[in-house]
Amino acid sequence: MKALSFRTELFTESVIREMTRLCDAAGGYNLAQGFPDFDSPAEVKAAAIAAIRQGLNQYPVTFGEPELRAAIARKAEAYNGIAAAPESEITVTCGATEAMMATLLALINPDDEIILFEPFYENYGPDSILSGATPRYVTLQPPDWSFDSGELAATFNDRTKAILINTPNNPTGKVFSRAELEQIAELCQRWGAYAVTDEIYEHILYDEAEHVSMASLPGMWHRSVTINSISKTYSVTGWRVGWAIAPDPITRQIRKAHDFLTVGAPTPFQHAAVTALGLPRSYYAGLVAHYAAAREFLVDLLLEVGFDCARPPGAYYVLADSSRLMSKFAVADDVAFSHRFLKQFGVAVVPGSSFYSRPEMGRNQVRFAFCKRWETLHGVAANLRSALTS
Ligand code: GLN
């Protein structure tokens, strides 16, 4: 028998989804996978059902139903300060996941490098491998997950094709400041590189945090791809509707990759996404109010039971330092700790090493997702308090 693909052999199973499986088998509380355990807005669900009843069940326009591309263009202009033509600069995809893959396929040639901030969302590793890019890493340093400007500047070179930025960030909750994005923008312009931004948590911001889209910065539109989805904002992670916004020449390439990868995102959910994007401002305020309260609750709980962490300014994750509890349990690393944590306390988390190219950098860290109902968060607190503070 001949060898299987080296590419796919290179990547491991998704640790986030593995932890979910173990959690389900153990009947635990899932703070591992970043999906809400509460339902999506009633009017958005009703719109999907209505679309199915109306017979909108065949292939969509490959690169996205016109009504949805128009709604995305309106939103991008109003919220992101990006003026994109729906006919030629927006592609609807199967979630932000496919948008990222199609974008890298559209940009990357053999020998190209892409820059990732580390820790990074685990999909970006396989995305790089599948597209053939060589990843280069710039470290985000706890507790505020800042980066060293010198390290960033030294990572750019002639082979740098693109830099991937996820703001607000998974797994750290960092929100890249305007000044940081301007610095990255300047380097992209100096080296002729593209910026690919995953802005899926753009509405989930706390305190004074401000979301800035790279494509809105001077000189960046024609070298930026802005990726987003309805998954997190409208709590419909299973619907798989996302998009990529990019200038015409890049969009042409993205659309070709998208067409052959998936043909299109589910038609009825694209129509429901139009309803979602039209929800009033009060909807976003309500969502963020819950996440802000959940953030306070979880961070206080983690500090109380022996983790070290800061309050994230955005997204719905806490990447906590577990060193003190690891010594208490005498476990060697984050993977052993996460398995022990699930078994003993019935709470699933993601081992920190899954967010690093060099696993040792995450060996004292675990990620908690707090996009959960109070019932779940209170259950987690009861389990941890009874075992860890007695
Ligand atoms: N983005 C979510 C997370 O990081 C879900 C990942 C997934 O399972 N696709 O947990």
Side-chain angles (χ1 to χ4, degrees):
M1 297 278 272
K2 289 182 176 163
L4 301 179
S5 152
F6 296 137
R7 277 193 190 156
T8 40
E9 245 165 41
L10 273 174
F11 45 87
T12 48
E13 186 194 20
S14 156
V15 181
I16 297 175
R17 290 183 280 281
E18 182 193 3
M19 290 311 296
T20 290
R21 213 168 35 249
L22 293 176
C23 183
D24 290 347
Y29 292 112
N30 188 353
L31 300 195
Q33 197 171 22
F35 69 92
D37 66 352
F38 48 85
D39 210 355
S40 24
E43 54 271 61
V44 178
K45 290 196 296 181
I49 294 163
I52 291 173
R53 289 225 168 93
Q54 272 167 41
L56 295 164
N57 299 307
Q58 306 309 322
Y59 293 127
V61 174
T62 301
F63 41 83
E65 292 287 82
E67 299 89 332
L68 177 55
R69 280 181 285 120
I72 293 167
R74 285 195 298 275
K75 181 232 100 135
E77 176 131 43
Y79 190 74
N80 307 96
I82 299 173
E87 313 74 45
S88 56
E89 297 176 327
I90 294 173
T91 309
V92 176
T93 57
C94 291
T97 301
E98 191 218 330
M100 181 60 75
M101 193 66 245
T103 298
L104 293 186
L105 290 174
L107 294 178
I108 299 300
N109 286 318
D111 294 332
D112 284 347
E113 292 183 359
I114 59 175
I115 299 177
L116 303 178
F117 287 99
E118 181 166 57
F120 53 84
Y121 173 46
E122 62 170 10
N123 278 37
Y124 301 162
D127 286 346
S128 311
I129 296 168
L130 286 175
S131 68
T134 304
R136 300 281 310 269
Y137 303 96
V138 174
T139 313
L140 298 174
Q141 309 278 0
D144 62 351
W145 308 103
S146 55
F147 59 86
D148 182 272
S149 328
E151 183 189 344
L152 177 70
T155 309
F156 274 83
N157 65 73
D158 280 334
R159 288 171 60 189
T160 307
K161 179 57 85 60
I163 180 164
L164 256 65
I165 302 141
N166 175 211
T167 183
N169 185 260
N170 176 9
T172 64
K174 174 186 175 69
V175 177
F176 282 72
S177 69
R178 186 176 290 274
E180 286 174 326
L181 292 170
E182 282 170 353
Q183 189 192 342
I184 298 167
E186 199 271 310
L187 288 163
C188 286
Q189 294 180 43
R190 192 185 313 164
W191 292 99
Y194 297 90
V196 180
T197 62
D198 176 349
E199 303 184 9
I200 192 164
Y201 303 99
E202 68 179 0
H203 285 285
I204 305 173
L205 301 165
Y206 311 109
D207 309 324
E208 304 305 309
E210 178 202 17
H211 176 68
V212 178
S213 290
M214 182 61 104
S216 71
L217 297 184
M220 288 307 288
W221 160 251
H222 66 285
R223 58 175 73 250
S224 297
V225 181
T226 308
I227 290 173
N228 217 314
S229 122
I230 57 169
S231 292
K232 312 288 185 181
T233 309
Y234 308 102
S235 305
V236 285
T237 58
W239 284 10
R240 315 313 301 137
V241 178
W243 57 86
I245 302 178
D248 184 306
I250 306 179
T251 292
R252 282 172 204 265
Q253 297 280 96
I254 292 174
R255 286 183 175 179
K256 285 188 274 183
H258 157 73
D259 190 3
F260 291 112
L261 279 173
T262 62
V263 179
T267 310
F269 297 135
Q270 290 197 39
H271 288 273
V274 177
T275 301
L277 287 165
L279 288 178
R281 289 171 80 93
S282 56
Y283 168 74
Y284 303 91
L287 182 79
V288 173
H290 174 68
Y291 285 151
R295 175 188 75 147
E296 291 305 297
F297 182 85
L298 183 73
V299 169
D300 289 347
L301 174 69
L302 295 183
L303 294 172
E304 177 191 328
V305 301
F307 290 94
D308 291 299
C309 58
R311 272 169 231 283
Y316 47 47
Y317 304 103
V318 176
L319 189 60
D321 185 296
S322 48
S323 310
R324 285 192 283 148
L325 288 172
M326 282 166 65
S327 2
K328 187 166 166 177
F329 294 164
V331 290
D333 64 22
D334 58 312
V335 176
F337 179 76
S338 301
H339 288 152
R340 171 86 182 267
F341 207 70
L342 175 58
K343 205 163 157 192
Q344 200 160 335
F345 310 119
V347 178
V349 297
V350 182
S353 57
S354 25
F355 305 106
Y356 290 90
S357 63
R358 295 154 279 190
E360 63 280 7
M361 293 176 75
R363 69 184 291 282
N364 296 324
Q365 296 170 357
V366 289
R367 189 194 75 172
F368 292 82
F370 57 84
C371 44
K372 307 292 168 178
R373 290 175 285 178
W374 283 117
E375 194 187 327
T376 307
L377 297 167
H378 288 147
V380 168
N383 283 12
L384 295 190
R385 282 200 179 111
S386 67
L388 284 167
T389 54
S390 51

